Amino acid sequence: MYRQCASLVERHRSELSFALLLSGYALYLILGAWVFSAVELPYEQRLREQLETARQKFLWDNACVSDERLEELLIRALHANNYGVSVLGNASENNWDFISSLFFTSTVLTTTGYGHTVPLSDGGKAFCVFYSLLGIPVTLLFLSALVQRIMVLVTRRPVAYLHLRWGVSKPKFAAVHAACLSVVAALLLFLLPAVVFCRLEPLWSYLESLYFCFISLTTIGLGDYVPGETHNTVPNSHRTLYKLAITLYLLLGLVCLLVVVETCCELPQLKSFRRRFYRENNAPESETRDQEEFSSTEHDQMTDHLTDQLTFSSVSAQAASLRQDNTTWQ
């Protein structure tokens, strides 16, 4: 009986692992919802009470304003604010100058989508649909090709070189390399930029600046914090340069973050772990053999290239040593 159960589990190990993954993900969703509800609901209720108190105080101090007229004004103001247009007297900046539009297109094509600025006209909305329909796949293709090229220089060649040159265990060194790369990326993409945003945005704390960096580079883009949109935080003479710098930061930061994620995904330990949840390969044996031969050929080509480099350097060193010996004897 025990052997039969063990054999059954072994045959359906992939399905059982996937069921466990599905259950764990559902529990993770429920846990997140419970935590957010417990943390945010009291704050929301307190903010509602404060807003209602302020509204009643305004009506009491301005008896000539009726509740209906105030309600109408607030609805129009909130509707305009949803489209990025503020009714505040100090909000005179245009949302659709060239640099602001460039910032908008970068958030659309990278699917960050802050939502603070949206097309106002029907023509703009229609163009946004068709522009995104072509632009998002092209952006994904561009990012994939760029990350693949950077991966060769930053991850694959260093790991393969040290593995061949010093005989370092490839899985162990790959894990160390990924950890070091993650630390450097956290420092350069999150911690240091958060200090910069904290200085340039006086209303932001360091935690809020760090929160913005993470939400932006992970393309979550909630839109509650958008640099350059806080009133009177950046001088008008530098607003264009500030927006352009933020656009470059988001694009370059996204590429660097994808390189780090891809480096971690290529770790042998993670590959082995992911295979537990994949469906078992039931492809024909010839197809499986072709895939293995292709992977082996690709790996051998890279290994041969590195070996040739190491051999050339070794031969050059031996030749230099022989020349030095001949000079000594002469």
Side-chain angles (χ1 to χ4, degrees), residues 164 302-312:
L164 292 173
M302 179 177 288
T303 303
D304 292 342
H305 177 68
L306 290 170
T307 304
D308 291 341
Q309 291 181 343
L310 295 176
T311 304
F312 177 77

Side-chain angles (χ1 to χ4, degrees), residues 308-324:
D308 291 341
Q309 291 181 343
L310 295 176
T311 304
F312 177 77
S313 62
S314 177
V315 170
S316 300
Q318 293 176 7
S321 177
L322 289 173
R323 285 197 299 269
Q324 185 177 1

